[in-house]
Amino acid sequence: MNKAILLGTTGVAAALAMLAFGFVAGSPQAAKADTAQIVQVASSDTKIDRAEVEGIIRDYLLKNPEVLLEVQDALEAKQKEEQRIAALGVIKDAKEQIFNSTFDGVVGNPKGKVTIVEFYDYNCGFCKRAIEDMRALTKADPDLRFVLKEFPILGPDSQKASVVSMAFHLMMPEKYGEFHNALLGGQGRATEAAAIKVALSLGADEATLREKMKDPTITEAFTKTYDLANKLAITGTPSYVVGNEVVFGALGQEVLAEKIEAAKAAL
């Protein structure tokens, strides 16, 4: 009866979990000693003293503060696994939107067997550095299809630059790769004016471009991308989708190459 009461008490249940974790994690002597105290309380005929139990928990954590770090690591690992599983479902359900949206630019082999999708912002410093990863990967792998998904999250300049970018893509998709490299790889902040300058240098007609920038489907595409990113737990750039995995951050071409090979093996 007393044991049932003990397990039903939130604080004590938490204490037992932490003490057990401490034993497994490498503090067996301290865990055994403090667990014995709790067992003694649970086995007695007297009413459980909440203050006494909380004191045991406090003393144990003060003696073994590393347990809190281990618990935090375990929590993060659990959350990452839950996030991975959730992403699998999103990728399955939104496969066409992720990999084959008509608004996304494509570099590398348009018919490649393996696709990597990058969520990027033209004013993201990490994205600017990661452009070399894209170039190296597409050069090294002739069977790689690299999709560029506009994800302007760094303010109005980024949003306006992406409107120009998407308008240019609608007009001249065959030159989108050149546009992307020039704007993302250029010096200074990407703005509407800077993006228009790049577009004109590649042969776009300014009047036609400005008219295309008003296309309501561009705003719709942004809305869909923001919603998709939210479902995939993507909050920063660059982020990637490779096969059935979401990869966060500019991790370098070696890591991305490993993810690509894993995606190939899963085909």
Side-chain angles (χ1 to χ4, degrees):
M1 177 67 177
N2 284 336
K3 289 183 179 180
I5 295 174
L6 178 64
L7 293 174
T9 305
T10 303
V12 178
L16 286 171
M18 285 187 285
L19 292 176
F21 193 93
F23 181 85
V24 173
S27 305
Q29 298 307 319
K32 284 180 180 178
D34 289 339
T35 302
Q37 294 181 58
I38 290 182
V39 171
Q40 183 177 5
V41 172
S43 301
S44 69
D45 294 328
T46 59
K47 184 178 180 181
I48 295 173
D49 187 332
R50 182 184 180 88
E52 182 180 355
V53 173
E54 289 178 348
I56 293 172
I57 297 171
R58 181 178 184 279
D59 289 345
Y60 175 77
L61 292 178
L62 288 175
K63 293 174 184 176
N64 303 275
E66 67 277 3
V67 170
L68 295 175
L69 296 177
E70 293 169 357
V71 170
Q72 179 64 29
D73 289 342
L75 175 61
E76 290 179 357
K78 180 182 178 183
Q79 290 174 333
K80 285 182 179 179
E81 179 61 14
E82 290 173 347
Q83 188 179 77
R84 185 190 70 81
I85 293 173
L88 286 174
V90 176
I91 293 171
K92 180 180 178 181
D93 294 341
K95 189 173 183 178
E96 282 301 305
Q97 184 185 349
I98 295 171
F99 297 104
N100 299 306
S101 172
T102 57
F103 284 93
D104 296 339
V106 177
V107 295
N109 183 352
K111 297 182 179 180
K113 292 182 179 179
V114 177
T115 298
I116 178 172
V117 179
E118 179 183 2
F119 288 71
Y120 69 94
D121 183 301
Y122 277 116
N123 283 307
C124 165
F126 293 107
C127 298
K128 287 180 177 293
R129 290 192 283 277
I131 195 172
E132 292 301 327
D133 297 335
M134 178 194 74
R135 290 169 177 164
L137 290 168
T138 53
K139 182 178 180 180
D141 188 345
D143 206 25
L144 179 63
R145 179 173 175 265
F146 206 111
V147 173
L148 300 166
K149 194 172 288 290
E150 309 262 0
F151 186 47
I153 57 174
L154 298 178
D157 281 343
S158 292
Q159 293 170 357
K160 291 178 181 179
S162 281
V163 168
V164 178
S165 176
M166 294 184 76
F168 181 83
H169 177 255
L170 291 173
M171 291 172 58
M172 306 173 69
E174 72 283 357
K175 290 191 175 183
Y176 182 77
E178 294 178 65
F179 175 94
H180 179 78
N181 283 328
L183 187 58
L184 187 59
Q187 298 296 318
R189 188 165 181 79
T191 62
E192 180 180 286
I196 289 176
K197 184 177 180 180
V198 172
L200 298 184
S201 73
L202 293 172
D205 176 74
E206 183 170 358
T208 304
L209 177 66
R210 289 187 179 278
E211 187 62 30
K212 187 62 70 175
M213 287 164 58
K214 300 175 185 178
D215 190 331
T217 60
I218 291 177
T219 301
E220 293 173 11
F222 284 145
T223 300
K224 290 179 180 179
T225 298
Y226 291 139
D227 180 61
L228 179 62
N230 184 54
K231 291 177 180 177
L232 291 170
I234 292 175
T235 58
T237 54
S239 291
Y240 304 87
V241 178
V242 190
N244 290 318
E245 183 177 3
V246 180
V247 181
F248 303 96
L251 302 181
Q253 59 183 277
E254 290 185 4
V255 172
L256 290 178
E258 291 175 2
K259 303 294 184 183
I260 292 167
E261 289 304 314
K264 285 183 178 180
L267 291 176

